[in-house]
């Protein structure tokens, strides 16, 4: 039985805490949050204790910490947990700064603790089956990966200012999926983007609509289309074109009701909320980490996956600034 | 090159005439209609001659006649054409009276001429592929055939009065499909029906909404659901449940455009008009008849198929009257 | 906080116990099972106590019992719980005998305790939305309800012998759905059925493949097609044809992956297992019961719903024996 | 009645000739081909005369010529027909050389004759409805156009050598669709491409797999993914993401049969052959040209549309060579 503490009791912390409590090999023992009532409510609901960060890190009986706090605390908390010899699950991203990520991962390596970075989409049953099918050669060799990833609605310009920008905040998930499905590191990134959804996002120096092309040395390509606003729900589709066929993950409708009337045959919209669409993914993500820990196998996605995705995001940003394709930096 | 004449230049006559003119082994030579301007227009458009019925039947160079006139003329025309030794294509039904159909088919047998009855749905590419898949054993043994057959809009009560009623006019197509797919004659027919669409149809002594169950001696079953009005288009679906799977023919949308908006994911309605939905079927039906004639193989669907479908329709009517399942009459 | 005990720790008991433990207004306090290790395992996992049936019924602090034991114990347990003044959730059916169900419900009425019968499909989000859409008039007046309900694989002939037969064991869910969607009690039931899947089921006096037609006084109809074996998964579809359109609940694929290859465009099969397909339904069912209890509104589906569905099942059985449509008995 | 001559009696010439013969306002009078037997066969089948090119151009009674000959003859034939004062339909492309296209269009302008260039996809009913929906504002403002355009199988390396390359030969259709749907000329083209399908195509100096991004001054974008080989049929999809929704044209299956078996729910592949997929488009294209001629409205797509698409193709080629985004040349 692994003893687990959760750092951060907000929306995503609640999801992870619930999954930890329900996992047969985990016991949720402690919860902390800078906002005490959130920690208290979550701890009570799941039969855990409220604690301070120091009490968690100082408690030798705790095996694993799940970092679900604000993005700008991630790197510090990973380092602190590494020094305390905990296994670490951290929500993406490790940090918005490449340099900070590199330093943080060095600390993790130094203390030799397992670290999983929360690229949850890899654990969505449909996405996971897509990759298994690819690896099993069901469509031959991969040639073009097409990712349509569009949020149901745009964030506030305030959020945008601290988000690191579209590529580091939102596309980063798609960069991870592209790498995972291409099975080869892109050597070139070209981004075309604009603020078409909300001019305030443009005024804040960011974009909200983008097309990004990734090219590999072998000639394999990936193309990502992003929008901060899809009026019809959370649009999350991936398609892989291979030498012997095509694999596609389509959207998940809210229900399976279909209405045929004079205006058409109307199916339900895609699920609107990422916690609903990826509920299974969060559950499976935790289970995979526990499974990797118990088997002693390599942790995936690990810190370097976080870094690689950030390198692609930074290359996309540079491409957007220069108007040219950019080679992503090295690890 | 077969020389062909078309009797009846109305809506369906125009369809068949156009297909005849376009068929590489046919030449449309004569057209007749009780309404002269219709015959003239059709003949001019397709480069054929206007003629009287007697001129057609008396012209020894004509190999084949296509009877596309009013239902109550079919049996007489078939007999006349049989006596004139023509190959005969006749739109369904042969007649609304069993006795008249039997007499007519006897005449056809006596003169030993080929007769195809226009159950066009057998020649729809999707329906034909369904049957091929069944015969190839792709879903093992047939167990339940489910036919959803619904017209886009109800006919006038006037039409209903002379139509022979829902079962003989509309369901007869479905009875033919059920026989064709069951590959075994039903031994029992049970009908439940009402006038839910238009009470004037009920006042005219007919029904407009029905569920009919057919049972075979082997235990195989078919169920037909009919409505005279499907607000969302012409609903034409068939599903066969077998021991190793299911085969289904789904509706054909008007176009392949799909709109995703705040109210849902909206595909196009099924094609509205039977001439549009079954355009390929009419073309293939003629081609199949020509092919059967040239190969000298049995004509299918032939006169006895018309009779069998009518026997099922009459049994359904009797079931509706008596409230009990009814065994269909013998050929 | 409602204190809840679960009677029966088998497959379905585990589902309900888990949902009870996770419900914010419930506390799972006791678990019992005739097979002690099952009770122990379930109680440990969810932090409840193992208890005897008497300890549960004698514990005045327990508000609600969930009866998840074998079918032939349901009626006795409902009566005992009613005498102990507990709110009762009982898995369907109340009993296989009409007379026993009537007596049991009389006891419930006498003690005036709330009873919900586990017709879980009403709480499936898609099915619930279907009914809401019907009630909101989205397709006008209901005319034909078509239910395709097919299990992934046939049960053993041994199970069949004690099951009460196809209609009471499996179709009973569909009878409930038909009543619920027709919003009018059927006045006639006609069943056609055979043992096509497994002749041993026939030898055991049961059928495994059926088409059942229900007719209402208003002319509305429902048709149910059942099979004990759908090689392609758990087939659970409902379609309602109305005066202004059609509503359909389609199957839920196992994942949203679609493969396009030389042999076709291959989507995933429907979910195979009823606990997977109806996982949300079980959760929502409990939540609805808690909600009805807290609001003091009528319990639905209640004991009389269980009785009405059984009346339809018995009428179907009688129809099958006599070969004629049968009017279902009165409450 | 327009008198029409067809130049070129090959595969595409046969299609256009058949549509011309069937059009109520056209009469197909003459056919020519450098390979005499092809002209003879086509003329006989459709009741036209075989003629030389000079006889066609010298026949003052001929109103319209349809140029369906080899690509390298298009520009010369357009010019000759323009001088002969014929209305001209010409299959795409006008020529592979920008300079030649410009000269040719100058001649057309000089003689002031109508010219339609055969971008048939604009006339596909689904594509046309997509554009109508866009113009009607059904999804608000256009933001991202995504075109998936993949041939069923790769051409021979010999064909590739004379084709002008992927962008001028195949993508040119997609460039036209992108322009037509964006409703704004792209200002930047970025292409990423490789020979992944057949290394002989690479050895011939061409590519067979590509991702091309088009950017407009307003920020609107289009992305095209091409492959010379889609094992699952002819993949022709377009999707437009707008401020208030998404419109998509999906593939057309060969038939509407769907098979559910133990390996999945298998729909038919997309239609394999472009003449089948775009049969309606060719018919509508001719009808639109006749309609534009009779109304005297501007011809669309006209010669300048052919030129603009070629400018995009050349920019894509330049982008591929330089590894940078390229601004397309001016008209």
């Amino acid at each position: 039985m692994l003893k687990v503490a959760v750092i951060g009791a907000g929306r995503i912390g609640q999801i992870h805490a619930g999954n930890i409590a329900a996992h047969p090999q985990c016991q949720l023992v402690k919860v902390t949050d800078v906002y005490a009532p959130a920690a208290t409510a979550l701890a009570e609901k799941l039969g855990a204790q409220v604690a301070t960060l120091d009490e968690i890190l100082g408690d030798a009986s705790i095996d694993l910490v799940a970092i679900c706090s604000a993005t700008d605390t991630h790197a510090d908390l990973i380092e602190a947990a590494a020094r305390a010899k905990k296994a670490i699950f951290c929500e993406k991203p490790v940090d918005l700064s490449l340099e900070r990520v590199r330093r943080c991962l060095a600390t993790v390596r130094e203390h030799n603790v397992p670290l999983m970075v929360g690229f949850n989409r890899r654990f969505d049953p449909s996405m996971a089956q897509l990759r298994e099918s690819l690896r099993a050669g069901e469509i031959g060799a991969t040639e073009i990966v097409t990712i349509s990833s569009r949020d149901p609605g745009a964030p506030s310009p305030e959020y945008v200012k601290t988000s690191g920008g579209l590529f580091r905040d939102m596309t980063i998930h798609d960069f991870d999926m592209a790498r995972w499905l291409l099975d080869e590191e892109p050597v070139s990134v070209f981004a075309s983007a604009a603020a078409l959804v909300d001019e305030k996002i443009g005024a804040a120096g960011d974009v909200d609509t983008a097309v990004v092309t990734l090219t590999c040395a072998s000639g394999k390509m990936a193309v990502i289309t992003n929008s901060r606003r899809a009026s019809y729900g959370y649009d999350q589709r991936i398609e892989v074109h291979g030498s012997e066929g095509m694999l596609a993950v389509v959207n998940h409708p809210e229900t399976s009701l279909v209405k045929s009337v004079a205006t058409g045959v109307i199916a339900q919209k895609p699920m609107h909320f990422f916690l609903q669409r990826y509920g299974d993914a969060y559950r499976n993500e935790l289970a995979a980490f526990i499974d990797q820990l118990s088997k002693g196998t390599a942790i995936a996605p690990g810190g370097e996956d976080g870094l690689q995705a950030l390198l692609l995001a930074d290359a996309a940003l540079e491409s957007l600034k220069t108007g040219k394709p950019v080679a992503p930096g090295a690890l």
Side-chain angles (χ1 to χ4, degrees), chain A:
Chain A
M1 209 70 165
L2 289 171
K3 288 181 191 277
V4 185
V6 167
I7 302 173
R11 194 166 62 175
I12 194 69
Q14 292 169 31
I15 294 291
H16 288 300
N19 290 335
I20 289 161
H23 192 284
Q25 291 164 258
C26 288
Q27 189 183 357
L28 179 70
V29 292
K30 288 184 179 160
V31 173
T32 190
D33 196 290
V34 290
Y35 178 62
T40 304
L42 183 58
E44 272 186 12
K45 188 177 157 201
L46 296 172
Q49 286 183 293
V50 175
T52 64
L53 178 62
D54 287 347
E55 284 166 1
I56 286 171
L57 296 179
D59 180 345
S61 77
I62 290 178
D63 304 292
L64 192 163
V65 297
I67 302 172
C68 309
S69 49
T71 290
D72 59 4
T73 66
H74 287 183
D76 288 349
L77 288 169
I78 288 172
E79 291 182 333
R83 285 185 207 106
K85 297 289 181 191
K86 309 299 186 200
I88 306 163
F89 171 86
C90 185
E91 265 304 313
K92 68 95 207 165
V94 173
D95 197 84
L96 297 173
S97 145
L98 268 180
E99 191 279 327
R100 183 71 190 92
V101 174
R102 287 196 175 104
R103 253 197 300 133
C104 176
L105 298 186
T107 304
V108 171
R109 276 193 303 273
E110 180 189 334
H111 292 279
N112 195 26
V113 293
L115 165 66
M116 176 179 270
V117 174
F119 286 126
N120 58 297
R121 294 181 194 173
R122 294 190 183 198
F123 303 98
D124 174 70
S126 302
M127 304 292 186
Q129 192 186 6
L130 166 58
R131 188 155 185 265
E132 283 310 301
S133 295
L134 282 179
R135 294 177 83 97
E138 292 184 22
I139 59 161
T142 296
E143 294 175 350
I144 309 174
V145 174
T146 307
I147 300 178
S148 303
S149 174
R150 300 162 191 173
D151 277 353
S156 67
E158 285 66 42
Y159 172 83
V160 160
K161 279 172 199 163
T162 63
S163 69
L166 183 80
F167 297 136
R168 290 199 195 102
D169 180 54
M170 177 175 164
T171 323
I172 195 146
H173 274 296
D174 308 310
F175 287 129
D176 182 64
M177 292 306 279
R179 288 183 60 238
W180 189 58
L181 294 170
L182 287 168
D183 235 350
E184 179 181 350
E185 296 300 333
V187 294
S188 167
V189 179
F190 178 74
S192 180
L196 299 179
V197 173
D198 186 349
E199 58 187 23
K200 289 190 195 119
I201 290 178
D206 198 4
V207 291
D208 51 35
T209 306
V211 174
V212 182
T213 305
L214 308 176
T215 312
C216 297
S218 68
K220 281 192 280 190
M221 289 166 273
V223 61
I224 299 164
T225 64
N226 282 151
S227 172
R228 283 287 196 183
R229 175 254 302 113
S231 326
Y232 47 90
Y234 187 35
D235 194 355
Q236 290 285 298
R237 290 169 292 146
I238 296 192
E239 179 183 306
V240 182
H241 179 92
S243 58
E244 294 167 24
M246 178 167 69
L247 286 162
V249 171
V250 298
N251 280 320
H252 293 204
E254 287 179 339
T255 75
S256 62
L257 185 67
V258 178
K259 179 162 67 169
S260 297
V261 286
T263 50
V265 175
I266 310 173
Q268 301 299 304
K269 286 186 298 181
M271 289 173 175
H272 198 83
F273 193 40
F274 74 96
L275 294 179
Q276 181 191 21
R277 170 64 184 85
Y278 287 121
D280 286 341
Y282 288 112
R283 232 180 331 272
N284 296 344
E285 178 181 53
L286 174 76
F289 190 30
I290 303 303
D291 188 56
Q292 292 169 11
L293 288 175
S294 71
K295 290 184 176 152
T297 52
I299 303 304
E304 296 202 345
D305 291 298
L307 180 55
Q308 289 282 16
L310 187 58
L311 287 166
L312 292 174
D314 281 12
L317 201 55
E318 178 72 10
S319 171
L320 193 59
K321 280 182 192 154
T322 61
K324 293 177 188 168
V326 169
L331 276 183

